[in-house]
Amino acid sequence: MASSSSTLSISSSSTLVDTKAPRHSAASSPQCVTLPTLPPPLVQSQNRPGKTTAYCRKIARNVMAMATGEAPAEVATTEFPEIVKTVQEAWEKVEDKYAVSSLAVAGAVALWGSTGLISAIDRLPLVPGVLELVGIGYTGWFAYKNLVFKPDREALTQKIKDTYKDIIGSG
């Protein structure tokens, strides 16, 4: 039982050609199928011509205003949130900015490294389950020791307030 298999290949002119069939011209051969060509991809400016044109006009207006020394007509003063102002004021008070920046970078690297370590531990078999049980046990112990009875709750609250005063400096 001999079976003849034919293979199809795609030529650069988007035509399917049967390689086992005798070679004829592509137009007269019944084994050839011509595929339609795709339209060219849309350019970014064709999707939103109005928005792009308006943006270009705005840039041109601002360049003209800067060249003549006038202030641009549409300059909007942006208000920063209160947290940004607070951070800027705190940064101005810092004397050793190099040390603070180095500590921030070291903290980011330590956070990245600890994330990798935790994910590596999480992939080990049995360890995540054991750590989860340890966490549940410690949470139960802490709640019983510090939250169940009123004198213990008051002592915990006072300890938290004292620690807050030590860190902040006022209270």
Side-chain angles (χ1 to χ4, degrees):
M1 182 162 153
S3 66
S4 66
S5 65
S6 66
T7 59
L8 295 175
S9 65
I10 299 176
S11 67
S12 63
S13 64
S14 300
T15 306
L16 289 175
V17 179
D18 189 357
T19 56
K20 294 287 185 175
R23 297 281 172 148
H24 299 290
S25 68
S28 65
S29 175
Q31 288 89 10
C32 293
V33 178
T34 305
L35 298 176
T37 59
L38 295 174
L42 294 174
V43 182
Q44 182 72 13
S45 63
Q46 290 176 348
N47 291 339
R48 297 178 276 171
K51 192 180 252 189
T52 305
T53 306
Y55 181 71
C56 291
R57 285 186 193 139
K58 185 176 179 182
I59 289 176
R61 222 177 305 132
N62 289 341
V63 169
M64 289 296 291
M66 286 189 291
T68 59
E70 301 170 3
E74 297 180 13
V75 174
T77 58
T78 57
E79 292 289 326
F80 291 116
E82 188 65 31
I83 186 84
V84 173
K85 291 179 183 177
T86 306
V87 169
Q88 285 177 342
E89 290 171 4
W91 184 251
E92 294 297 324
K93 292 179 185 176
V94 172
E95 292 179 15
D96 195 4
K97 293 180 180 172
Y98 179 75
V100 172
S101 300
S102 299
L103 284 174
V105 169
V109 169
L111 181 66
W112 176 70
S114 64
T115 303
L117 179 69
I118 289 171
S119 67
I121 289 172
D122 192 36
R123 283 188 242 127
L124 295 173
L126 296 177
V127 174
V130 171
L131 291 177
E132 187 175 350
L133 287 176
V134 168
I136 291 170
Y138 181 77
T139 302
W141 174 82
F142 181 85
Y144 177 74
K145 180 94 169 125
N146 296 310
L147 302 175
V148 173
F149 303 109
K150 187 173 183 175
D152 295 332
R153 279 194 306 267
E154 291 172 352
L156 179 64
T157 305
Q158 187 60 41
K159 188 174 182 180
I160 291 172
K161 287 180 181 178
D162 291 342
T163 305
Y164 181 76
K165 284 180 185 177
D166 289 342
I167 293 172
I168 301 299
S170 63

